[in-house]
Amino acid sequence: MIGLGTLINTALVVAGGIAGMLFGRFITPRLQDGLMKATALSVLFVGLAGALGGMLSVADGKLVSGGTAMIVVSLAAGALVGEWINLEHQIGRFGEWLKYKTGSAGDSSFVDAFVTASLTVSIGAMAIVGSIQDGINADPSTLILKGAIDALLVCIMTASMGKGCIFSAIPVFIFEGSLTLLARLIQPIMSAAAIANLSTVGAILIFCVGVNLIWERTFKVANLLPAVVVAVLFALF
């Protein structure tokens, strides 16, 4: 069944969020703070490992780096487009709308929790590759694996940040569902080089999310999202 991967991934995010809400009721603010820092550290190293994995290679027994030009161009051009559109503001407005529609007006951390969790579980090559596999071959395996990882992350983040994290399931459903429907159209564009570029830049953005969890609002990560598209186009040209 085409689209099954998106449905399972979305359901696992919701399940992880609900588990986090139930778990979060039994831990003190001090423990929540520790849990938040542990989550931030995990996200930092996930992003760092992905970025270094895409940039470093071994040649003639020596460690060499590459892709610097692609990273600089992608992030710079992506930032220009993202700041012009002001994606951070648009996503924040949607978060505010969700906050009031879900009766969470008194939750001061709802929007930050929603935006942070959404960026954490939506950015990355697994979402794109898995959606293409699901759309073309009706193979949901990659998205199911991603869903299991997302569930764990969202569970921990919800326990420390609040129920806004649960609603990260919405952008996951929209993003992966759209890619699944468009899979045959975008498949020729997603070459091995394009996926490699996307993985590297996506990992850098995940690292930025981790930084924001420790030092709030250091990066406007949503405004850097167009960098992922630029990285894919860089591979084509």
Side-chain angles (χ1 to χ4, degrees):
M1 171 185 166
I2 291 176
L4 181 62
T6 297
L7 294 176
I8 293 176
N9 193 167
T10 303
L12 286 171
V13 169
V14 173
I18 293 173
M21 280 289 293
L22 296 174
F23 174 62
R25 293 178 181 178
F26 300 102
I27 59 177
T28 64
R30 183 174 64 85
L31 291 176
Q32 287 182 356
D33 181 65
L35 193 59
M36 168 69 76
K37 290 176 180 176
T39 303
L41 190 61
S42 301
V43 173
L44 279 172
F45 273 93
V46 167
L48 185 62
L52 292 180
M55 296 178 65
L56 301 179
S57 61
V58 177
D60 298 324
K62 297 180 180 179
L63 193 64
V64 296
S65 63
T68 305
M70 182 275 296
I71 291 170
V72 172
V73 170
S74 297
L75 291 176
L80 284 174
V81 174
E83 289 290 344
W84 177 56
I85 301 173
N86 202 356
L87 284 172
E88 187 96 4
H89 177 67
Q90 303 303 327
I91 295 175
R93 284 182 61 189
F94 180 63
E96 289 286 353
W97 179 81
L98 274 177
K99 177 179 175 178
Y100 288 100
K101 288 295 183 180
T102 57
S104 305
D107 186 352
S108 60
S109 63
F110 183 95
V111 176
D112 282 341
F114 166 70
V115 173
T116 301
S118 296
L119 292 172
T120 303
V121 298
S122 297
I123 302 171
M126 286 185 78
I128 294 178
V129 174
S131 297
I132 292 175
Q133 290 175 340
D134 196 11
I136 294 176
N137 303 318
D139 176 9
S141 57
T142 300
L143 290 183
I144 292 174
L145 175 60
K146 176 182 176 292
I149 298 170
D150 290 348
L152 179 60
L153 281 172
V154 172
C155 176
I156 297 171
M157 294 179 80
T158 303
S160 58
M161 298 180 70
K163 68 178 180 181
C165 297
I166 300 176
F167 296 93
S168 61
I170 296 174
V172 166
F173 177 78
I174 293 172
F175 182 60
E176 292 179 1
S178 299
L179 288 177
T180 298
L181 293 174
L182 297 172
R184 294 187 183 278
L185 182 63
I186 65 176
Q187 185 191 25
I189 302 173
M190 300 308 297
S191 63
I195 293 173
N197 286 359
L198 183 151
S199 299
T200 302
V201 173
I204 292 173
L205 298 189
I206 290 173
F207 177 84
C208 292
V209 171
V211 171
N212 282 354
L213 286 171
I214 300 176
W215 299 284
E216 191 176 351
R217 301 188 184 282
T218 301
F219 297 105
K220 294 181 179 179
V221 181
N223 284 354
L224 291 172
L225 284 176
V228 175
V229 178
V230 177
V232 171
L233 295 177
F234 195 94
L236 297 178
F237 300 105

